[in-house]
Amino acid sequence: MTDQVDNWHKLARFDTNMQGELHANLLRNNGIAVSIQPLSAIPGMNSGIVLWVEGTELAAAQRILEGIDTDSSARADLLANMSDAELGITPETEHNHGKQDYKDGEL
C-alpha cells in the first residue's frame, strides 16, 4: 500500500466511444496520461466515454482540448480552398490509365 493519493480529475465526457478515443489519443500524443472510463460495461456498446487526467496535467489537457477547432464552417472553408492535388484527387484519366472502359456492359 502506498501513501500516494489518487489525484485524477474528470476532464471531459464524450457521447460516443470514437470521440473519446480520438481525444484521448491526442492527449497521449502530447505526453499526457489519460484514463478512459467507458459508460457501459457491455463490450461494443457505444454509450460514451469519460476521460480522466491527473491533477498536475489537468490545465494542460484542458488547453489542448480547447484548441480543437469544432467549427464545421471553418472546415468547409478550408476544404473549399484546397486544390484537388492537396486533397489527393487525381484526374479521371490517371485512374483509368491502361484500363479499358466498360460502357453498357461492353468493352
Side-chain angles (χ1 to χ4, degrees):
M1 197 180 231
T2 66
D3 292 332
Q4 183 179 1
V5 176
D6 286 337
N7 192 23
W8 290 82
H9 297 274
K10 182 178 177 181
L11 175 65
R13 180 186 185 278
F14 295 96
D15 293 331
T16 66
N17 295 8
M18 182 63 73
Q19 287 176 315
E21 293 284 348
L22 287 172
H23 286 83
N25 286 335
L26 172 66
L27 294 169
R28 287 181 185 127
N29 289 340
N30 282 280
I32 295 176
V34 179
S35 178
I36 297 175
Q37 177 189 11
L39 296 178
S40 174
I42 302 171
M45 289 293 292
N46 194 21
S47 59
I49 284 180
V50 174
L51 301 183
W52 297 82
V53 296
E54 292 189 82
T56 57
E57 297 178 322
L58 182 61
Q62 288 172 332
R63 279 194 303 276
I64 291 169
L65 292 185
E66 287 170 0
I68 297 172
D69 181 12
T70 59
D71 183 10
S72 61
S73 64
R75 285 190 298 252
D77 289 342
L78 177 64
L79 289 173
N81 292 321
M82 291 178 70
S83 70
D84 287 349
E86 290 172 317
L87 293 170
I89 300 171
T90 56
E92 184 65 30
T93 56
E94 288 184 28
H95 290 294
N96 294 329
H97 183 69
K99 297 180 184 175
Q100 294 177 339
D101 289 332
Y102 289 92
K103 294 182 183 175
D104 297 325
E106 299 177 10
L107 288 176

